[in-house]
Amino acid sequence: MMVTTQPPPTSTPTTPWLRRFGYLLVRRRRLVLIAALLGTIGLAGIAAGTVGSLSLARFEAPGSESDRAATELADRFDTGSVDLILLVTAKTGTVDDPAVVAAGRTLTDELAGSDGVAEAASYWSRGNPVTLRSADGRHALVVARIPGDADTVRGRILPALVPELTRGNEVIDVRSGGGEEVFRQTVPQARQDFLRAEMIIFPLVFVLLWLYSRRVLGALLPIVVGVFAMIVSLALLRGALLFADISTFALNLTLAMGLGLGIDYALFVIARFREEVRRGRNQHDAVAYAVEKAGRTVIFSGLTVAASLVVLFALPFDFLRSFAYAGIGVVIGGILGAVVVLPAILATVGTRVLRTTDRGESTTGFWHTFATRVMRRPLVYGGAATLVLLLLGAPFLGLRFGVADDRILPESAPARQTQEIIRAQFPAEETDALQVVSTGEATNVREYALALSQLPGVAQIDSSAGVFIRGERAGAGDPARFLRHDADGTWLSVVPTAEQMAGDPVELVDRVRATPAPFDVLVGGYPAELADYRSSVVDRLPLLLGLMLVVTFVILFLMTGSVVIPLKATVLNMLSLAVMFGALVWVYQEGNLSGLLGFTATGTLDPSIPILMFCIAYGLSMDYEVFLLSRIKEEYDRTGDTTTAVATGLQRSAPLITAAGAILALSFAVYATAGVLFVQMLGVGMAVAILVDATIIRAILVPAFMRLAGPANWWAPQPLRRLHARIGLSD
């Protein structure tokens, strides 16, 4: 269709500032595009070094009891938890055959002398302890402690050490395992998941965008904005790496969320540009009005998404903070791309994104009719939709928090295969022992060790007073086990059974800490570290939830001037989040669809990922809430009638929300193919939440709730109305 392109009229002081900004972009479009191109090239150069600098932060709770126990062990006894396990398998016979014994001792000595290894021991160097020998005699363990932070251990020492020591020979096979090795192997796997998803997402998204826009340029421009958001986020992450550890999983979030949000924002601006053309505006005016109306919505949407992620900084965990850095970078890139770069492109080639149907203007259609039908019987439609969502979310009531282990990796991962053999063949998990360290003088060590040995889930106690099994002394203490007793105190090793570690290791931590000690102690070790991390995360949930609700409430109030709409939005978002958590429990905790998706259920969920998903999903739900509310509010300001405003607003925004939701859900759903369980959970859970939010919530519950509230939708106490009149973020 023909669109005139006469110069835009001169802005006046009363012209809304975003429209004036839109006209500025139109007049300076060539300069904006040149600056954007050069800036993108520069940012891409910075972003290129980000991927290789990402790491996988440990699940640690700074200042916790396990953290202090680790410090005591390192400072006073120069020891700590096992970081690396070598599983030695005899090719013939047992690990007690002379040739295997000689090979095992040689391997132990080689490990002990390796760079970065502080301590090493094995079945053969410790006087044949039964906990380091498998039940069938075919396997034995060599263990080592490697001090240092995650980057040192996983990034420098293990990559050089493991290939050298796992080569085996004609007598033995050697596999690697242990907590540090497990999580080290997640890094390349997560990057592989990223590359696979990237190859799948882009062609699928292009096809969906073409089907929606019926224009090649209309399909390409949103992808350009999405890629721009990703580049900006990765470049900002490179800056954050100067003062923070960023998890490699942030890369996956950057791809899915960057592409999805960038496309969402671009589609909204393009859709508004087309609408303004249908109203008869020339190309440049249409761009300026699109920046004013859609740009304001995009900015509000970005604020709500960013606010939902900013609260992760309240948690003292680098793993979760990584996603805040990535998400905020994505929002910044998405806003810049959609509100600055895209309008300059539309001012230049905007006629090529128009469709032959972009003439005239209609406020009626399927969505208008559907919304009107819902609002005629809001209790019936709203009640039925609420009931469906509650049923889908019901599994959430059975949520059980647990701890992550090697089963976050696919079955093909070497470290996972090692741990599976240890779980199945070894009677106890000595490599995951709890360490009980005294903080001062120790007395009655024998009696305390006897008491600990009788706890359910304890295989044996190793101490300076001897080895104790089920309340009986089984042997003298072995100095080679690094257990020392000096004038200032001692420490004990509490070896859990394999059954306890496979079930609930945190339960054992609680038992040990609840056992009265004759001297002051700190309980540490890998299970205690996981328990303290889980407890720290869960304990901060109320703070996290409170901050998120307050911040998003304030943003929606500033946008609408209402206190009812933010409350309604919160309730509806909680319903969509309940469905997401219900899906997580039903699939990943209970193990449904495990064969199809290729994972192993453990009966619990690590709290980190659900908390992360809560923040992301809450922000994205508010994203669509802002999209819809902006149109409803615009129509209400024009007509003063809530029913008409809802029906017209839904007609104009629902097709866009549906398309954007499908594309964003697809961006996350592709990660159902991921090998790392954390990444897969994020993808599946977010896809479910987005689809529910973009369909049932926005199409049924929003019209039903707003019809029931009527004029009260826009109510606020008089003091708040005066406050909004002064500081409300509206034109």
Side-chain angles (χ1 to χ4, degrees), residues 84-342:
L84 175 65
I85 300 170
L86 297 179
L87 175 69
V88 179
T89 302
K91 288 189 173 180
T92 59
T94 71
V95 294
D96 296 310
D97 292 346
V100 178
V101 171
R105 289 185 179 276
T106 299
L107 179 64
T108 306
D109 293 340
E110 185 178 355
L111 177 59
S114 298
D115 179 43
V117 176
E119 300 173 302
S122 68
Y123 165 71
W124 303 280
S125 70
R126 285 186 173 176
N128 298 348
V130 295
T131 53
L132 296 179
R133 181 182 186 274
S134 66
D136 60 7
R138 293 189 61 245
H139 311 281
L141 301 181
V142 182
V143 298
R145 180 174 70 90
I146 306 173
D149 58 23
D151 286 335
T152 299
V153 177
R154 302 173 187 173
R156 184 177 65 85
I157 298 176
L158 289 180
L161 195 62
V162 170
E164 287 295 317
L165 297 175
T166 55
R167 60 186 182 274
N169 54 39
E170 67 279 0
V171 178
I172 58 174
D173 280 325
V174 183
R175 295 173 176 267
S176 62
E180 292 294 328
E181 179 65 3
V182 165
F183 288 104
R184 182 185 76 87
Q185 291 186 16
T186 62
V187 175
Q189 181 67 54
R191 288 175 183 166
Q192 181 180 332
D193 293 339
F194 171 84
L195 293 174
R196 184 194 305 113
E198 193 172 34
M199 294 176 64
I200 297 173
I201 286 175
F202 280 98
L204 285 180
V205 166
F206 176 80
V207 171
L208 288 177
L209 286 171
W210 184 84
L211 290 173
Y212 173 74
S213 67
R214 298 295 180 178
R215 288 289 183 271
V216 172
L217 189 63
L220 286 176
L221 286 182
I223 294 177
V224 168
V225 175
V227 172
F228 179 81
M230 293 165 56
I231 292 173
V232 170
S233 180
L234 289 174
L236 292 176
L237 282 180
R238 184 72 181 274
L241 282 165
L242 297 175
F243 55 85
D245 291 329
I246 308 296
S247 169
T248 189
F249 291 138
L251 191 65
N252 302 86
L253 180 67
T254 299
L255 170 62
M257 195 170 172
L259 188 63
L261 272 187
I263 288 174
D264 276 7
Y265 293 165
L267 284 177
F268 202 74
V269 172
I270 292 173
R272 190 61 190 235
F273 170 75
R274 286 172 167 162
E275 183 177 326
E276 296 301 329
V277 168
R278 289 196 300 269
R279 290 177 173 177
R281 302 192 193 280
N282 66 67
Q283 179 179 347
H284 291 169
D285 283 343
V287 170
Y289 276 84
V291 171
E292 175 195 355
K293 299 300 183 180
R296 177 175 178 269
T297 302
V298 166
I299 292 170
F300 268 110
S301 170
L303 286 174
T304 58
V305 175
S308 299
L309 291 168
V310 162
V311 300
L312 289 172
F313 288 125
L315 302 176
F317 311 118
D318 288 337
F319 177 73
L320 291 175
R321 287 179 173 180
S322 299
F323 297 97
Y325 290 117
I328 292 170
V330 162
V331 168
I332 293 173
I335 291 176
L336 288 176
V339 182
V340 178
V341 180
L342 180 60

